[in-house]
Amino acid sequence: QVQLVESGGGLVQTGGSLRLTCTASRNFFSLDPMGWYRQIPGKQRELVARISVTGNTIVSDSVKGRFTISRDDAKKAIYLQMNSLRPEDTAVYFCNAEVVGGPGEYWGQGTQVTVSA
């Protein structure tokens, strides 16, 4: 079993920045890809960005140019640097990891990001 622990959420004003961190409890290199999703109440969870073990990234058009996903293998962590935040970025952000060779995936508990107008 793998635990994903997120941190870094909070309240920020429009135009501000936050950095989310997701750390994996074990088997980091068996998790590929890893990524961030977000969910607004009443809406489906949507992909924000994801990164492969080789560093290839996919970023949603809605955040492209503002958000950057990265990883630090030594720390068994991925990050989501969020700049130029907008009120519509307000959501619960979840870390996700898929198991290499599948099936199976893991989710973190979620971290709230609130952007005030």
Side-chain angles (χ1 to χ4, degrees):
Q1 189 73 8
V2 175
Q3 284 187 314
L4 302 176
V5 179
E6 301 116 331
S7 61
L11 173 65
V12 65
Q13 291 183 331
T14 296
S17 298
L18 285 173
R19 186 194 193 207
L20 304 184
T21 300
C22 172
T23 56
S25 62
R26 58 194 295 260
N27 297 342
F28 185 68
F29 294 101
S30 71
L31 306 173
D32 185 32
M34 293 184 70
W36 293 95
Y37 289 70
R38 66 186 181 186
Q39 189 168 24
I40 300 168
K43 293 193 174 182
Q44 280 195 324
R45 198 170 292 187
E46 64 172 4
L47 174 68
V48 177
R50 66 181 189 185
I51 186 166
S52 73
V53 70
T54 58
N56 292 325
T57 62
I58 293 175
V59 180
S60 168
D61 286 344
S62 63
V63 305
K64 198 167 290 183
R66 301 187 296 122
F67 292 12
T68 303
I69 188 169
S70 61
R71 61 188 290 140
D72 185 332
D73 293 344
K75 295 183 178 179
K76 299 182 175 61
I78 65 167
Y79 308 96
L80 186 68
Q81 178 65 44
M82 304 185 293
N83 299 327
S84 301
L85 282 160
R86 305 167 179 167
E88 54 263 40
D89 296 317
T90 296
V92 178
Y93 285 70
F94 295 89
C95 180
N96 170 268
E98 296 183 16
V99 177
V100 174
E105 62 180 349
Y106 298 99
W107 290 93
Q109 80 284 359
T111 185
Q112 176 71 46
V113 171
T114 302
V115 184
S116 63

